[in-house]
Amino acid sequence: MNHYLTLSLLLFLVGTVGFIVKKNVLAMFLCVELMLNAANLAFVAFARDLGQLQGQVFVFLVMVVAAAEAAVGLAIMIVLYRCRGTLNPDEADTMKG
Amino acid sequence: MNPDELFLLVPQSILLGAAVLLMLMEPFSRQAGRRRLRMVAVAAVAVAAYALRLQWGLGPRSIGGGMIRVDGFSLFFQWLFLVITGLSAVLAADFNQREGIDRGEYYALLLTACSGMSLMAMSADLILTFIGIEILSLSTYILAGFKRRDIASGESSLKYFLLGSFATAILLYGIALVYGAAGSTQYQAIRAAAAAGEVPALLLPGLGLLLVGLGFKIGLVPFHSWIPDVYQGAPSPVTAFMSVGPKAAAIAALLRLLVEALPGLAPDWTRLLWLMAVLTMTLGNAAALVQSNVKRMLAYSAIAQAGYILVGVVANTREGFTAILFYLVVYTVMNLMAFGVVLSLSGPGDRRVHLEDYAGLARRAPFVAAALGVALLALAGIPLTGGFMGKFFLFGSAVKAGFVGLAVIAVLNSVLSVYYYFRLLVYMYMKDAPQGGAESISRPVGAILAIGVFLILWLGVGPDRFLALAGHSILGLK
């Protein structure tokens, strides 16, 4: 139980730190996926510990949401890439103030 | 589910059905037929509102195995969301035609966003709250980038998407921790787990992560950094929608979560939210002082307004929650009015949004200037407007709950905010226009502005009836 949770926490932290330090939109998005999967792992671990099925069902819901998010996110990235020709978020700086 | 329970979900079904219908109609309608698409959206909103009316007075119900609550609180918010969605669709009409983005998907996404917001207000289960937030967020990510050829719009969409999905991931991890601590995601079960003797160790970090996720959606400092860029870059009608809808929905979800699931941790979260309220008001107002772009100024103003609303949450009394509901209605009216003027005047390319563009507006378009003026006075909280009454109730509830310091800071902040709201008024009424030319606004927008002026003054002079309605709605929250 504790091992699962430790791994999940590690994944979450790697995702969080990665999101903050990465300079590529795709890599940042992958870090978010890592965080979602960390939550999934925690759900499954807790469900096993509690002897429930609920937590495992949540994982499926989260997967569906993650897939929808990926579809929307990649579409947005493609649109922006067509406009600017770069995926570096630091260069997306038209607005200031 | 029995038919009786399904009846309670009819409004949601209408919205989603109309959204699908709009997507199907879009490829088959010619440019001239776009009007019809908008009519479908508005009609769906009207029918859903009527279906909700039939549910009023049934008393609180729990359906879907305790996942969904239908009570005064959720009905109140669903109505508010329907009004916001309908008005956003009407406000967007002329703008979208001008910018060439008058497509069926736009209205379909507004409707799905509305159903997501409604789920957030009805939810009595963390998983459903999460799904509601995601339905809302995915729709608004796309709406923010709806002007595909515009770099600012794309940027705004990307920033919203990246930071938004980051925040939902944090929220989801918080849900996982709370699930582990309480053994369930249902609010009542969490409440029981927190009340039974010792508070489970994972509950507090879980609550913290949940507050980060919801705080992001509301736009609380320090999770506000996305708001100015996203609001500035998104098409103006979308900004109008985002500044009222998702904010109100996130506050509804926050209230349900804190009051229904975690009343046992009230000392912890009031302390945390106290700090966030102060930071949000002060930073929002301070940053708004130096903005020359009206959209960006209104974005910072929206941050500050969220701080005022949070004062009612910190008070954690029935009066505080009633004041929140009242203020949310006033806030919706005044913000939609302000953005309605902004999007009408912004001109081709949505570019004329600087203070200088408003110089001499009173001479060029007296009615528009007067309507925007009333909205700004209400946002600043000048007496005789609904904004004053709303703030009065909010800060009054904080004083009664013993948070005098917070109320004083909030009042000082309101005084500070007068500066930047009045600066825009000064530009409109006391500066000469650089180049003449009358401004014209479309008839529907004009009608909305007129009704808005009436509502703001009415709520400012005789708020009793409305306050009673808000107080009645809050009874479901327990």
Side-chain angles (χ1 to χ4, degrees):
Chain A
M1 171 66 189
N2 273 329
H3 294 97
Y4 290 124
L5 278 188
T6 316
L7 177 62
S8 140
L9 190 66
L10 272 178
L11 276 177
F12 185 74
L13 288 180
V14 168
T16 315
V17 173
F19 181 87
I20 295 166
V21 299
K22 279 286 175 189
K23 287 283 170 233
N24 182 300
V25 176
L26 264 178
M28 289 166 85
F29 179 62
L30 286 180
C31 289
V32 170
E33 293 291 311
L34 208 57
M35 291 164 74
L36 289 178
N37 281 317
N40 277 348
L41 187 62
F43 269 126
V44 175
F46 283 130
R48 204 179 114 113
D49 189 46
L50 296 162
Q52 291 179 346
L53 270 180
Q54 259 191 352
Q56 307 201 13
V57 177
F58 296 157
V59 172
F60 283 101
L61 289 173
V62 174
M63 281 173 166
V64 172
V65 168
E69 214 171 62
V72 170
L74 292 176
I76 293 173
M77 285 174 212
I78 290 172
V79 166
L80 199 69
Y81 186 75
R82 276 195 195 144
C83 269
R84 312 192 58 114
T86 170
L87 276 180
N88 185 340
D90 286 346
E91 286 171 38
D93 55 359
T94 333
M95 292 167 284
K96 281 263 168 67
Chain B
M1 268 193 214
N2 57 39
D4 197 35
E5 292 189 342
L6 282 180
F7 163 70
L8 297 172
L9 292 177
V10 164
Q12 308 300 312
S13 323
I14 293 172
L15 290 179
L16 292 177
V20 174
L21 182 70
L22 279 170
M23 303 257 217
L24 288 176
M25 283 170 73
E26 158 62 31
F28 299 108
S29 50
R30 283 191 216 97
Q31 203 57 44
R34 304 279 187 213
R35 238 179 87 84
R36 228 177 327 154
L37 299 177
R38 200 158 48 243
M39 296 312 285
V40 169
V42 175
V45 166
V47 175
Y50 179 70
L52 277 180
R53 177 73 190 82
L54 300 177
Q55 296 176 10
W56 183 259
L58 283 182
R61 304 256 181 116
S62 250
I63 55 175
M67 263 193 150
I68 300 174
R69 299 248 318 152
V70 179
D71 51 22
F73 184 78
S74 65
L75 287 179
F76 180 94
F77 273 100
Q78 287 189 71
W79 260 321
L80 184 63
F81 299 147
L82 285 174
V83 170
I84 290 172
T85 310
L87 289 182
S88 302
V90 174
L91 282 177
D94 266 35
F95 181 92
N96 285 1
Q97 274 166 3
R98 192 173 74 207
E99 301 295 322
I101 52 171
D102 196 24
R103 302 174 58 88
E105 293 93 342
Y106 187 94
Y107 304 103
L109 286 169
L110 273 182
L111 293 182
T112 50
C114 182
S115 81
M117 294 193 291
S118 306
L119 279 185
M120 286 166 73
M122 297 162 90
S123 154
D125 190 304
L126 281 173
I127 287 297
L128 191 67
T129 310
F130 170 70
I131 292 177
I133 290 180
E134 277 298 287
I135 296 176
L136 165 67
S137 302
L138 289 177
S139 313
T140 34
Y141 297 152
I142 308 174
L143 281 174
F146 212 82
K147 257 168 73 183
R148 276 186 300 164
R149 313 224 176 284
D150 187 62
I151 286 185
S153 180
E155 242 181 68
S156 136
S157 175
L158 182 75
K159 283 179 183 168
Y160 194 17
F161 168 74
L162 276 181
L163 294 172
S165 52
F166 185 57
T168 26
I170 293 176
L171 179 93
L172 188 73
Y173 204 74
I175 295 177
L177 291 186
V178 171
Y179 172 64
S184 168
T185 49
Q186 295 211 340
Y187 288 177
Q188 295 304 329
I190 297 169
R191 182 185 193 142
E198 215 166 294
V199 175
L202 284 176
L203 202 56
L204 264 183
L207 168 69
L209 294 180
L210 287 176
L211 282 183
V212 172
L214 285 173
F216 174 88
K217 289 290 160 206
I218 305 176
L220 301 177
V221 175
F223 316 112
H224 69 293
S225 51
W226 59 281
I227 287 194
D229 282 359
V230 172
Y231 280 20
Q232 185 189 341
S236 294
V238 178
T239 311
F241 175 75
M242 283 197 296
S243 71
V244 287
K247 204 170 275 241
I251 285 167
L254 182 74
L255 275 179
R256 265 221 198 277
L257 173 72
L258 294 181
V259 177
E260 295 197 334
L262 299 164
L265 299 182
D268 298 300
W269 55 256
T270 39
R271 213 169 305 143
L272 201 61
L273 291 181
W274 188 96
L275 188 66
M276 281 163 104
V278 171
L279 285 175
T280 308
M281 287 185 282
T282 315
L283 273 171
N285 280 325
L289 292 177
V290 295
Q291 302 303 325
S292 62
N293 180 314
V294 175
K295 262 170 103 175
R296 212 171 166 86
M297 185 199 91
L298 285 173
Y300 279 111
S301 131
I303 296 177
Q305 301 280 341
Y308 302 145
I309 294 172
L310 211 57
V311 171
V313 185
V314 174
N316 191 19
T317 54
R318 243 164 231 301
E319 275 170 30
F321 304 147
T322 311
I324 291 177
L325 263 57
F326 182 84
Y327 196 73
L328 275 176
V329 172
V330 181
Y331 171 73
T332 301
V333 175
M334 51 201 189
N335 236 30
L336 279 182
M337 279 174 71
F339 276 111
V341 173
V342 169
L343 69 90
S344 300
L345 301 184
S346 62
D350 206 6
R351 282 188 209 296
R352 295 187 50 215
V353 288
H354 289 274
L355 277 174
E356 291 79 39
D357 298 323
Y358 287 76
L361 186 68
R363 206 155 308 147
R364 286 179 289 153
F367 168 70
V368 179
L372 181 57
V374 170
L376 291 174
L377 290 176
L379 281 165
I382 303 298
L384 284 185
T385 64
F388 171 77
M389 275 299 167
K391 278 185 185 165
F392 177 74
F393 294 139
L394 274 175
F395 304 163
S397 73
V399 170
K400 275 188 198 153
F403 294 97
V404 180
L406 182 63
V408 171
I409 296 173
V411 170
L412 288 178
N413 259 295
S414 302
V415 175
L416 186 65
S417 75
V418 169
Y419 172 77
Y420 59 85
Y421 291 127
F422 271 57
R423 191 170 53 170
L424 185 52
L425 278 177
V426 167
Y427 266 91
M428 287 195 303
Y429 280 92
M430 297 179 190
K431 297 232 168 167
D432 289 328
Q435 76 271 9
E439 303 279 353
S440 70
I441 57 164
S442 70
R443 214 171 291 162
V445 176
I448 289 177
L449 289 181
I451 297 170
V453 170
F454 169 73
L455 268 179
I456 283 182
L457 295 178
W458 184 44
L459 289 172
V461 178
D464 305 338
R465 252 181 88 185
F466 212 82
L467 202 65
L469 177 71
H472 189 71
S473 307
I474 219 74
L475 291 177
L477 198 68
K478 57 178 172 247

